[in-house]
Amino acid sequence: MPKEKRKQSKDEENDSSSRKRRKADLMTAMTEPDSSRSRPQGAYDVFLSFRGEDTRKTFTDHLYTALVQAGIHTFRDDDELPRGKEISDHLLEAIRESKISTVVFSKGYASSRWCLNELVEILKCRKRKTGQIALPIFYDIDPSDVRKQTGSFAEAFVKHEERSKEKVKEWRETLEEAGNLSGWNLKDMANGHEAKFIQEIIKDVLTKLDPKYLHVPKHLVGIDPLAHNIFHFLSTATDDVRIVGIHGMPGIGKTTIAKVVFNQLCYDCGYGFEGSSFLLNVKESESKDMVLLQ
């Protein structure tokens, strides 16, 4: 056999072996239990700490909505707490399982013992070797008021001194530390535009996370067999371009299936693609430029 034909035959064998390995990897990934396909670190991307009476229905609500729309899995106590569960324990668990804790400092934040205890736990988690980030947002208060407990924070601590002196020292030290952290101050935003302020916060959070690994709810029902069929199709692919269409009625899980497949292909199977993107809500987007959306 001529050398050229032998080489071609060898290349075809290598390609075939490579495809078989890829198919085996994909099939293995699909037969693993759901827990192995959960987000690699942290149950939540962001934990929101805030004084409900100050910002629950205003700034924090707008921030939460923007985080969720950006695909950032966010914990907010009135949104995530299951009925019948002890609130304090569940909140502590949520803080510890979050990648970023975003603290919205408002004028009434220090008046809440609950908020101060949350902050203590947040900064404890920051000091542990888990890579957790604490991101302060100074909404309608100056960082120096947080750091030095002046202004409305001073008024709050007068009352705390009367009721729980044993906790005051820890709270003061925690606030001083938090006030020195790099964060976001609404007063630094031109004309105090909250919408633009929130947009900048979202960009910052996304840079601190790995935004490509998409959140998929745990314990999905009936998703694996459907995703398995797509994997089977993709595993037979050569190096050409493959397009998979998923169609059906609204609300039956098309986007969720796509997210499961995306996470598996881009991360769980270890292929190390040079680039990947997941474009959500393209039809509703103001921009029709695909490159700009990516």
Side-chain angles (χ1 to χ4, degrees):
M1 181 185 290
K3 286 185 179 179
E4 206 171 297
K5 287 209 168 186
R6 283 202 304 270
K7 183 177 182 302
Q8 183 179 358
S9 176
K10 186 68 173 175
D11 289 343
E12 288 173 353
E13 288 178 11
N14 290 337
D15 288 343
S16 177
S17 298
S18 177
R19 286 196 297 273
K20 286 178 180 177
R21 283 195 302 271
R22 178 163 56 177
K23 182 174 181 177
D25 290 341
L26 286 167
M27 294 303 106
T28 300
M30 282 307 298
T31 55
E32 290 176 350
D34 287 343
S35 60
S36 69
R37 298 203 301 276
S38 60
R39 183 176 287 276
Q41 292 180 354
Y44 299 97
D45 292 321
V46 171
F47 176 91
L48 274 180
S49 176
F50 59 96
R51 173 66 166 153
E53 294 179 14
D54 291 354
T55 64
R56 182 187 301 279
K57 296 181 179 179
T58 54
F59 176 78
T60 296
D61 188 55
H62 300 152
L63 175 61
Y64 174 79
T65 300
L67 287 164
V68 172
Q69 288 178 345
I72 300 168
H73 190 33
T74 306
F75 182 98
R76 181 178 62 173
D77 61 358
D78 62 346
D79 185 74
E80 294 281 357
L81 285 176
R83 294 175 184 267
K85 185 105 176 180
E86 177 63 32
I87 292 179
S88 58
D89 290 343
H90 192 69
L91 279 176
L92 290 174
E93 182 183 351
I95 292 170
R96 291 164 185 164
E97 292 185 351
S98 297
K99 293 182 176 181
I100 298 175
S101 286
T102 301
V103 184
V104 181
F105 285 113
S106 56
K107 288 181 179 178
Y109 189 90
S111 64
S112 168
R113 292 164 51 89
W114 190 270
C115 287
L116 293 173
N117 286 330
E118 275 186 9
L119 185 62
V120 168
E121 183 63 27
I122 286 168
L123 293 192
K124 282 181 180 177
C125 290
R126 177 178 175 268
K127 293 172 184 175
R128 295 183 187 129
K129 297 179 181 179
T130 57
Q132 191 172 126
I133 298 168
L135 180 65
I137 297 173
F138 304 97
Y139 174 60
D140 58 359
I141 193 166
D142 194 270
S144 64
D145 287 340
V146 176
R147 188 165 55 250
K148 300 175 183 178
Q149 295 94 63
T150 54
S152 62
F153 276 43
E155 297 171 12
F157 269 86
V158 170
K159 296 179 180 178
H160 291 322
E161 292 278 4
E162 297 172 357
R163 298 174 184 173
S164 52
K165 289 185 178 180
E166 70 282 356
K167 295 288 292 183
V168 165
K169 184 175 183 295
E170 182 180 34
W171 289 341
R172 286 190 182 279
E173 290 173 352
T174 300
L175 285 168
E176 181 180 358
E177 182 181 349
N180 283 315
L181 293 175
S182 175
W184 290 89
N185 188 350
L186 180 59
K187 293 180 180 178
D188 294 338
M189 183 60 58
N191 300 318
H193 287 304
E194 286 190 18
K196 184 172 177 56
F197 185 56
I198 288 174
Q199 287 176 3
E200 294 302 317
I201 293 170
I202 299 300
K203 290 178 186 177
D204 187 30
V205 170
L206 284 172
T207 60
K208 288 176 167 59
L209 293 168
D210 176 7
K212 294 176 183 176
Y213 198 103
L214 304 173
H215 168 66
V216 177
K218 293 181 179 179
H219 313 303
L220 294 169
V221 177
I223 291 293
D224 278 0
L226 298 170
H228 181 88
N229 291 337
I230 298 175
F231 275 111
H232 181 73
F233 171 77
L234 293 173
S235 68
T236 62
T238 57
D239 291 330
D240 61 348
V241 176
R242 284 283 169 127
I243 298 175
V244 179
I246 306 174
H247 64 91
M249 295 173 62
I252 63 172
K254 299 185 298 295
T255 300
T256 302
I257 294 170
K259 286 180 178 180
V260 170
V261 173
F262 180 87
N263 287 340
Q264 286 289 327
L265 282 174
C266 297
Y267 302 102
D268 297 341
C269 290
Y271 289 136
F273 290 112
E274 290 182 6
S276 59
S277 62
F278 192 94
L279 306 185
L280 273 168
N281 304 322
V282 174
K283 187 185 294 185
E284 291 79 15
S285 174
E286 294 180 2
S287 173
K288 300 303 178 186
D289 185 336
M290 288 297 106
V291 175
L292 181 61
L293 284 172
Q294 287 175 308

